[in-house]
Amino acid sequence: MNNSVSSTVRLIGAGLRALLALTVICGVIYPLAVTGIAQALFNERANGSEIKDKSGQVVGSSLIGQTYNLPKKDPNDAEEAARPDLKWFQPRPSKGLGSNSVNMQYSLILSGATNRSADNGAVGGQCTKDAEEGTLCAQVVDAKDAVIADNSTAGYTVKPEDVPADAVTSSGSGLDPHISPEYAKIQIHRVAEQNKLDVKQVEKLVADHTTGRTLGFMGEPRVNVLELNIALKALTKS
């Protein structure tokens, strides 16, 4: 009986010592070591890939998209449709992005995709104006019309065939911070007109903020909208 009790006590003691040791190693030492290494070697990424403006203020993350909309006419009206602020480059359409005021503040709502097939609402295998309301095709057609209307200026008309897919569809996460160079290109004339800038100035801005494929072969060329708009803001104030 005594041997049984002492054996049980030893097992409990060993278990408690193992628990204490693993708690210290896995719950304290390991997290501190990983955090220290991350801060020392990858400080920017470890802190959320923050983007700062010229004043040093954090205005967002290079990994998360933002919207650039005008303030609501009625802040209490949840049904009021967002109106894009056309002096800024616009991101991909997405219900995963929250409202963003012109002072670069933002609020994220949710992340997710539509989960609808590419031919949802298609008529005869194509997305047309006859698509049923509420379907993906109807949303794409409406978004395309809006892109053409918003980005056409007195001296530049956006052609329907020039509107890229990312201008009318959201990304899988709904938080994609990038747009294609093609989408940025069709916004250049409108941004230049709205900000009273020369078109060539804005073209150079887009070219300077276009990132190529990773390692030369992975992914697609892309433009980070937040970084581009920060540079645009600096240009308009210079």
Side-chain angles (χ1 to χ4, degrees):
M1 183 69 175
N2 290 335
N3 288 338
S4 177
V5 171
S6 61
S7 177
T8 300
V9 170
R10 284 198 303 272
L11 287 174
I12 293 174
L16 290 175
R17 288 194 297 274
L19 174 63
L20 179 61
L22 289 172
T23 297
V24 172
I25 293 172
C26 298
V28 179
I29 297 175
Y30 177 73
L32 287 176
V34 171
T35 301
I37 292 171
Q39 289 293 333
L41 302 180
F42 312 102
N43 182 265
E44 182 181 336
R45 295 182 182 181
N47 290 320
S49 299
E50 295 174 338
I51 295 179
K52 299 179 180 179
D53 59 15
K54 282 194 171 182
S55 67
Q57 180 182 359
V58 176
V59 293
S61 168
S62 64
L63 305 177
I64 300 177
Q66 299 184 22
T67 56
Y68 298 84
N69 296 326
L70 293 168
K72 283 187 173 184
K73 293 179 179 179
D74 181 2
N76 298 318
D77 184 3
E79 300 299 321
E80 183 182 335
R83 296 170 298 135
D85 189 342
L86 299 180
K87 73 178 183 180
W88 303 109
F89 282 92
Q90 294 296 312
R92 297 183 68 165
S94 175
K95 292 184 178 179
L97 297 178
S99 60
N100 181 29
S101 63
V102 294
N103 65 356
M104 299 288 193
Q105 297 304 305
Y106 65 99
S107 173
L108 296 177
I109 297 177
L110 51 85
S111 172
T114 62
N115 292 328
R116 292 173 177 164
S117 64
D119 61 351
N120 177 245
V123 178
Q126 294 185 329
C127 287
T128 68
K129 293 185 181 295
D130 296 325
E132 183 181 348
E133 186 178 353
T135 62
L136 180 61
C137 276
Q139 293 176 8
V140 167
V141 170
D142 290 344
K144 190 171 186 177
D145 289 342
V147 168
I148 293 172
D150 288 345
N151 293 287
S152 294
T153 64
Y156 175 77
T157 301
V158 177
K159 300 176 183 178
E161 59 268 24
D162 291 338
V163 179
D166 64 301
V168 296
T169 57
S170 64
S171 63
S173 68
L175 302 175
D176 192 346
H178 300 101
I179 57 175
S180 66
E182 291 75 22
Y183 186 24
K185 181 180 177 180
I186 65 174
Q187 299 187 60
I188 287 174
H189 286 78
R190 181 255 299 163
V191 169
E193 181 181 81
Q194 291 284 326
N195 291 282
K196 295 179 174 56
L197 296 170
D198 185 79
V199 170
K200 291 191 179 299
Q201 285 181 290
V202 185
E203 285 178 342
K204 184 179 185 303
L205 207 63
V206 171
D208 290 345
H209 289 82
T210 298
T211 304
R213 291 180 172 87
T214 303
L215 299 179
F217 68 94
M218 290 191 295
E220 295 293 332
R222 57 202 180 275
V223 179
N224 188 290
V225 181
L226 175 57
E227 293 177 353
L228 180 59
N229 278 333
I230 290 173
L232 173 63
K233 183 178 181 180
L235 181 62
T236 58
K237 289 187 175 182
S238 62

